[in-house]
Amino acid sequence: MSRQLVVGAAQLGPVARDEPRESVVARMLELLHAGAAAGCQLLVYPELALTSFFPRWDLAGDELDSFFETEMPGPATKALFDGAAELGVGFCLGYAELTPEGHRYNSQMLVARDGSVAATFRKVHLPGHEEPEPWRPFQHLERRYFEPGPAGFGVWRCFGGVVGMMICNDRRWPESYRVLGLQGVELILCGYNTPIHYPPDPGQDRLQGFHSALVMQSGAYQNGTWVVGVAKAGREEGAELLAESCIIAPSGEIVAQAATAGDELVVATVDLDRCAHYKDTVFDFQRYRMIEQYGLITSRRGAVPPPALDEE
């Protein structure tokens, strides 16, 4: 008997800077109810779903703190947890976390179908820059506002399978998928906020959708896992964000994809047993991996080319 799970990619359209959390949660609840009506057992929301993507601004003090959650669920988000328990639909939620110890993380929480917390993941690969750069049309200050997740990439047994998480820029790095793959991951949940304009190299703007799909599809195929990628999309506070939320099979094929840049639910039936078609054949790690040849991956951070011929 196959292990089938009905999953919904709960894409959100733009969230205004002054939009109250209660308004965003109401939108999310609409998607949760739509997911329940479609038979979903799990919904995946975007990165930093509860607010506008605030790293685009130079912020400090109380204004910065206002974008962070100090408890989860909190007063505004409790309705989402209650809705999950009432409907029997779990969810994955991205948010900015401020811990009691003062640590700030770009976090993602996995919530079971009874509304209880199953797992929390903190983003590892932080993009952007540490200090404001006035030449940019908008900032990308994630490296100023967040710490890298200290626990790395874990997996959890829930929803009938082995589930892992990553957030936005994590999806661009093959190591993220491989570390999860080495733990037998069968379903990776990934929320993102991806600006279409990339100021350091605008030539990449037209390729944002291609690159987003490329890394998730290759990560799915090379590790024999399902991947669910979910966007906060549309024109948000003057910045155009990539949509194209999708659900990807272990074959690397996109089986469902968003058609709009607004609030939209994308649904697919995920057969977790399909992972074995790849894990037990072409990507049988135990049989085919050559770990004695991979030492540079963990011993060297940056690329070091060989010396030039005239330096020999």
Side-chain angles (χ1 to χ4, degrees):
M1 183 175 180
S2 65
R3 293 174 296 142
Q4 294 196 343
L5 181 70
V6 183
V7 177
Q11 177 175 287
L12 290 176
V15 174
R17 184 169 181 167
D18 60 355
E19 183 171 355
R21 282 172 174 74
E22 291 79 5
S23 170
V24 183
V25 170
R27 292 165 56 185
M28 297 170 74
L29 278 168
E30 285 190 24
L31 291 168
L32 190 72
H33 281 271
C40 290
Q41 296 143 290
L42 171 64
L43 250 64
V44 185
Y45 295 105
E47 173 192 31
L48 299 177
L50 298 169
T51 66
S52 194
F53 186 73
F54 64 90
R56 69 170 62 98
W57 299 300
D58 182 7
L59 305 170
D62 291 344
E63 186 177 23
L64 174 62
D65 289 347
S66 71
F67 288 95
F68 283 79
E69 311 302 315
T70 56
E71 56 180 332
M72 187 62 75
T77 52
K78 185 176 184 299
L80 194 61
F81 287 74
D82 291 344
E86 178 185 346
L87 297 170
V89 180
F91 64 86
C92 184
L93 170 66
Y95 63 101
E97 177 189 11
L98 176 57
T99 73
E101 299 77 24
H103 296 289
R104 297 175 185 270
Y105 300 114
N106 187 336
S107 298
Q108 196 165 272
M109 180 173 283
L110 183 60
V111 175
R113 297 178 69 184
D114 63 359
S116 64
V117 176
T120 301
F121 168 76
R122 282 124 181 183
K123 187 173 182 177
V124 172
H125 297 98
L126 298 177
H129 44 106
E130 292 84 353
E131 298 299 330
E133 298 179 353
W135 61 270
R136 291 175 176 261
F138 50 83
Q139 301 300 305
H140 198 149
L141 291 165
E142 283 193 63
R143 296 179 68 87
R144 182 179 186 179
Y145 298 148
F146 298 114
E147 304 169 47
F153 297 96
V155 299
W156 298 269
R157 286 196 176 273
C158 49
F159 295 96
V162 181
V163 181
M165 292 185 276
M166 59 179 67
I167 299 174
C168 198
N169 190 43
D170 289 327
R171 78 192 192 279
R172 301 190 187 277
W173 298 88
E175 295 89 346
S176 306
Y177 300 91
R178 185 47 47 92
V179 171
L180 291 172
L182 287 169
Q183 299 172 82
V185 75
E186 297 173 313
L187 177 63
I188 296 174
L189 313 177
C190 177
Y192 59 88
N193 282 239
T194 298
I196 290 176
H197 178 51
Y198 183 56
D201 180 13
Q204 297 183 32
D205 293 2
R206 67 179 184 84
L207 298 169
Q208 289 292 357
F210 168 70
H211 287 158
S212 179
L214 173 69
V215 292
M216 291 191 290
Q217 289 180 261
S218 59
Y221 169 60
Q222 291 171 344
N223 294 278
T225 183
W226 291 86
V227 175
V228 182
V230 186
K232 170 112 74 53
R235 189 165 185 80
E236 183 180 271
E237 297 292 350
E240 200 72 35
L241 299 178
L242 180 71
E244 301 183 23
S245 300
C246 59
I247 299 174
I248 301 165
S251 61
E253 297 169 287
I254 294 175
V255 298
Q257 186 166 359
T260 74
D263 292 9
E264 182 181 350
L265 182 66
V266 179
V267 178
T269 299
V270 167
D271 183 352
L272 297 174
D273 286 335
R274 284 185 61 185
C275 298
H277 297 180
Y278 296 87
K279 292 181 184 296
D280 296 344
T281 58
V282 65
F283 292 116
D284 181 340
F285 290 170
Q286 182 62 40
R287 183 175 186 182
Y288 295 121
R289 292 187 76 240
M290 300 291 291
I291 59 174
E292 63 273 17
Q293 305 298 337
Y294 307 152
L296 281 179
I297 291 176
T298 55
S299 65
R300 180 182 293 174
R301 183 184 297 270
V304 180
L309 292 178
D310 58 3
E311 295 176 5
E312 293 181 348

